[in-house]
Amino acid sequence: MSPSFAAAVLTSSILSGTSLLYATLGELVGERAGIVNLGLEGIMLIGASVGFAATALSGDPYLGTAAAAFAGLAANLLFGYVVIARRANQLAAGLTLMFFGIGASALIGRPFIGASINGLSRVDVLGIGSFDTLVWLALPTAALLWWLLFRTRWGLALRAVGEDPAAAFAAGRRPETMQYQALAVGGLLGGVGGAHLSVALTLTWDEGMTAGRGFIAIALVIFAKWNPLWAVAGALVFGGAESLQLELQARGADVSPFVMTMIPYLLTLLVLLFWGWNRRSAAPAGLGRNFFGVE
Amino acid sequence: MTMLRFLLSACLLLFFTLSAKAADTLTVGAIYVGSTNDFGYNRSMHDGLLAMKAAIPGLTLLEAENVPETADSERIMEGMIQQGAKLIFATSFGHQDFAFNLAQKHPDVFFEHAGGWKMAANFGNFFGATQSAWYPMGVAAGKMTKSNTLGFVAGVPIGFVIGNIDAFAMGARSVNPKVQVRVVVTGSWSDKAKEAAATTALIDQGADVVTMHVDSPATVIQTAEGKGVYSIGFQSIEARTLAPKYWITGLGFTWGPFMTDIAKSVIAGSFKPAFVRLGLGQGMMAIAPFGPAVPADVQTAVNAAADKVAGGFNPFTGPLTDNTGVVKLKEGETLGGDKMGDLDWYVEGVIGKAK
């Protein structure tokens, strides 16, 4: 492996891993508050289409990204109302949200298919490389989220709700409020993750363009053991697997293209094999359970 | 109650007058697997049908986009038949079985399916002969490249796609024997993020002309344009608007004349089912206008190659060896038509493995 090859794979992994990282962080916050959101794919799609549409309309990719974040937030709060206030089953509501997102994003993005936009500009920081703003903000976002979750009273309360909402309630916290807050942050991040695909990476909108990345992000939360810092590693590994096979092909590696497209999944299996699983799993104890109050 | 009955009969009367009116001219139904403004395959089909509509006064066109390749498509086509459609264009490969079922059920409705093989008295099949048409695209790329490296982003490595890559490479090497074609397979007909990453990877490897065979050429063309790299389009010739500076040329489907002929034959009552595969110069494939950066001598060479193909030249004529030196076509042997689907080797000059 020549250094230029390693550098190219790393650059490409960072680029394709960024949207995964934002989405993973978004899901992670929600799950820390006890809510599984299988609709992440839909949130990302809404973010991607709203981001693209707003950029095309305003000509400003930053405004577009902000619009995507708020669209993701709004959609996630809708999901929140269903599972928190109406206490619907989280898995069913999540899947419904996914289908809602597929349809809504197609509707929003439809007039904009084929539009040309100015993407997020790339900035060179300290000679490390030339990346767009969302890439540069990804690591600080993960670090900030880690600090919020593990070093602040707000984070403690949020995690307490995720472990045992009744106990958190007894300690004077309102589980519903914490969960709404977590889902708001989660939707914001999921929307940004989707926007990175359309506004920074491809500069196009296409129906279903997330191509399953929302579900990979949900898997990454487990891989990351519900820790934002591990999510960074996870997103890099998954993004890296995807770019590795594309970069290998561009270099004319003497391997069948069918084996190449298997690489990301082979790597995933290997990682899971060595990463393993232990009894002291970090999964929040109250994950996926509805809180019905403490009567 | 009488009021209700009156309303009902009024509605029925209205319905019959309307359908009687519609029967005077032809109503054509069309289903697309994607969106018609994708600058790609679906756009080309939509443009063809619009050309048909413009050519036949009074013709009614019913269209449905994003029709999945499932039983849903059958319901949507059935609905079009209920609205009076007598001719249906099922434009995606996976619509074949569902359109065929309906053709059996409605012997008075005519069907044309794109890219399949099924045939019946009221069911025909059509597609462009793409492989040989890629040859002049190769000539364009071979003339324009400075680095002698061309990049090809391929969706799924089926025989027809490999045939396109091979013909592209042969065209390029016919004018520039030093050219090498690098191929990246994304494994999907539509995954924008991978297409962007693949294009970047190819450009990093020195490719200064990139092209693609995926559903929509938009991402590859826009990524190349952003990096100041030449691109060659495929599917719809309208993709050129995405690359005002670095567009070379492109290959697109022109379905209009064929669709018009079919609609006229249905109106005249002379529809004959046929298995149609037409290429350059035969009305189903066209070369897009050249971009501003393409010199006159390159344009002449590309047009000459296109004329050669239109005149019957088949690049898949032996002797031909694959990129490991094994003889695949002996002197005098040719490859074409349906056999392209089984193609699983790259010609000399293509880097990589086809299977």
Side-chain angles (χ1 to χ4, degrees), chain A residues 110 113 204 206 249-251, chain B residues 37 65 182 185 190 205 222:
Chain A
R110 216 195 122 55
I113 294 179
T204 47
D206 187 38
Q249 288 190 61
R251 276 162 176 78
Chain B
N37 46 2
E65 296 173 70
R182 291 184 179 271
V185 171
S190 182
Q205 284 311 298
Q222 283 175 319

Side-chain angles (χ1 to χ4, degrees), chain A residues 8 12 15-16 106 110-117 122 197 201-211 213 242-243 245-247 249-258 261 264-265, chain B residues 34-39 65-66 156-158 182-187 190-198 200-202 204-205 216 218-219 222-223 227 241-242 346 351-355:
Chain A
S12 178
L15 280 173
S16 59
R110 216 195 122 55
F112 300 96
I113 294 179
S116 318
I117 57 162
R122 296 197 170 182
L197 284 175
L201 209 55
T202 67
L203 308 188
T204 47
W205 156 253
D206 187 38
E207 282 161 35
M209 73 181 293
T210 49
R213 284 175 180 79
E242 189 180 292
S243 29
Q245 58 113 346
L246 297 175
E247 293 283 343
Q249 288 190 61
R251 276 162 176 78
D254 200 18
V255 189
S256 157
F258 298 101
T261 43
Y265 311 100
Chain B
S35 171
T36 55
N37 46 2
D38 64 351
F39 283 101
E65 296 173 70
N66 299 311
V156 182
I158 57 171
R182 291 184 179 271
V183 181
V184 175
V185 171
T186 62
S190 182
D191 186 330
K192 302 286 181 189
K194 274 191 190 166
E195 287 159 22
T200 308
L202 287 165
D204 286 347
Q205 284 311 298
S216 165
T219 307
Q222 283 175 319
T223 307
K227 292 178 183 292
T241 53
L242 301 173
Y346 285 136
I351 300 174
K353 267 192 169 172
K355 64 169 175 179

Side-chain angles (χ1 to χ4, degrees), chain B residues 100 103-104 110-111 117-125 271-274:
Chain B
F100 198 75
Q104 313 254 286
F110 299 96
F111 290 80
W117 63 88
K118 289 198 170 173
M119 302 280 293
N122 61 336
F123 196 96
N125 234 301
F271 177 89
K272 280 207 173 54

